[in-house]
Amino acid sequence: TDGMVAVFSGDVYTEDLDIVGIGNVIFDGDLNGTVNYYGDGVVTLADNMAITGDVTNDTLTDGQGTLTLAGSGTVSGQTGSAGASLKDVNAGADTSSSSFSGDIYAQAMNITGTGAVALGGNLNGVLSYDADGAVTLADNRAIAGTVTNDTLTDGQGTLTFAGSGTMWGEIGVADASLKAVNAGAAASSSLFSA
């Protein structure tokens, strides 16, 4: 419900978990099922928890819904879809380690701290570093969007291509560069196209 906060203290097993408004839903346990946004709500996953399922935007409006990993966590399914992206995906809290197995469609994926985020699928949207975190893109995957350092400090954020990969967009700008971009693993082939 709009403006409300709901907290699930244990694991949740359901075929569908519907976010019907702009309220906040906090999961202190694992969520086993599909998260469906029917409004521009916020879902927060507690440290060391997982979502086993997809995360969908069913509002009929692109760029709705925010998913936040408060610490380490995993998302096993796809997040968003073409034309029905999420507004924000937040991960990479300080000292955390998170992974997304499927493709991500979001207006922005925000690296909120100095943690490590592993992307097993393609990222469709802006990758924004709000701190000196690290993102690793799996072999044969792509980023379709710009990569930005929004920390207000030059030389923050590390992007690693674990194997072959494609980058469709600019990486950093003058005075807001990344700390490192790693590519060229053995037998890999990577393309950077702005």
Side-chain angles (χ1 to χ4, degrees), residues 42 50 62-64 66 79 133 142 152 157 163 172 179 184-185 187 190:
V42 177
D62 197 32
Q64 298 287 291
T66 297
T79 301
L152 304 181
K179 179 166 66 178
S190 296

Side-chain angles (χ1 to χ4, degrees), residues 37 39-43 57 59 63-67 85-89 106:
Y37 286 91
D40 192 23
V42 177
V43 170
N57 169 5
T59 66
Q64 298 287 291
T66 297
L67 174 62
S85 66
L86 267 62
K87 180 168 64 179
D88 288 293
V89 175

